[in-house]
Amino acid sequence: MLYNKKIILGITGGIAAYKCAHLVRLLVKQGAEVKVILTPAAKEFITPQTLSVLSKNEVIIDFFDANFNWNNHVHLAEWADVMLIAPLTANTLAKMASGLCDNVLMATYLSAKSKCIVAPAMDLDMYQHPSVKHNLDILKTNGNLIIPAETGELASGLTGEGRMAEPENIINFLLDFFKQSLPLNGNTALINAGPTYEAIDPVRFIGNRSSGKMGIAIAESLADKGAEVILVLGPSSEKVKNSAIKIVHVESADQMYEAMLSNYNNKDVVVCSAAVADYKPARVSDKKIKKKDGDLNLELIKTKDILSELGKLKKKQCLVGFALETENVLEYAAEKLKNKNLDVIIANSASEKGAGFGVDTNKITIIDKHNKISNFELKSKQEVALDIVNYLIDLIK
Ligand code: CTP
């Protein structure tokens, strides 16, 4: 997604400008915020009104427009996460290569600190001309990215290379561009979250109060930073917003164990935030247990400790555990870090107000394997997740 990405779309005067209505629509659909700058020639090919309606912003054309302060190009340039110029004509290309500044688009380009991506469009022979090729090389050398023109029917009637890349291909290029700039691009992560339910009979179970919120927030945050994420999720009613996260639904500690072990190989980061039951009923009745006179005693047996098992099998993984304690928080957490062969443990206290199960906030302390302690303030679980993920990025990069 291009959610919340700020994009300046510069449109120059070529026939392919008509495709920009569709391009703007696709950008907005992806969640991007779009501001359009037209060169004076571009408005001969597409109307500012159309682009303004589709982008939901005023379209900028001239330094002296009523809605534009002549030096606003500097703010615009600072605002943008990326500048996209599509279609890029040979004329604007030459200006970009030489630094000529005779319109708002060029002034914005020359002020921009963000990357500029261009999608050239021109006729067959123009695109092949040595001076055009030379100017494209200069643009590349100056750090711009080029979406090559595509081959097909051209406005002149000729057929060949020179068509502006299709809007869908421009969108894919942008998606790739933003993905590659993320710190965890190319990394893989495995997380477990939520409670486990240990069946007593077909209608009853032993569970706990974990909502799964903290682990889901970590999974979302890892995915936002570019990691490929698998989330092994116990029974939780929380929604996972990022559809790129692969979710494996499980119910019991045994199922969670299987899912974690089978996905463990070659992961870069593994976070165990699930509140896994330590004990399960020794026997599960296949029929509903009927009420009888007297008491009922349940025999409980130990479940496998998933995190300890992962610690034993650890190769390159950065293994992260949680410790939810009610007393001696740091001491118990440090013991778990050592005993379970972890790289990092996140300690939180169930007796501290606003921390632990069921609430939307948390207050954590991170301890690493060299006993370095980092304390964090009480924050929303999303902010805590971001702190944890930023900490892990520093650790593994
Ligand atoms: N954990 C696990 N498998 C279990 C129990 C716990 O993987 N059967 C993991 C949790 O996901 C967490 C860490 O171990 O990351 C610590 O869990 P916690 O419940 O705090 O500690 P326990 O090891 O269960 O010990 P205790 O309950 O006695 O504090």
Side-chain angles (χ1 to χ4, degrees), residues 192 253 256 271-279 303-308 310 320-325 332 336 340 342 345:
N192 65 15
M256 193 170 269
V271 183
C272 289
S273 72
V276 187
D278 289 329
Y279 296 93
T303 56
K304 289 180 198 138
D305 190 311
I306 303 170
L307 189 53
S308 294
L310 299 179
V320 183
F322 266 77
L324 180 65
E325 311 289 349
Y332 287 154
K336 284 174 190 170
K340 301 192 186 200
L342 310 181
I345 193 145

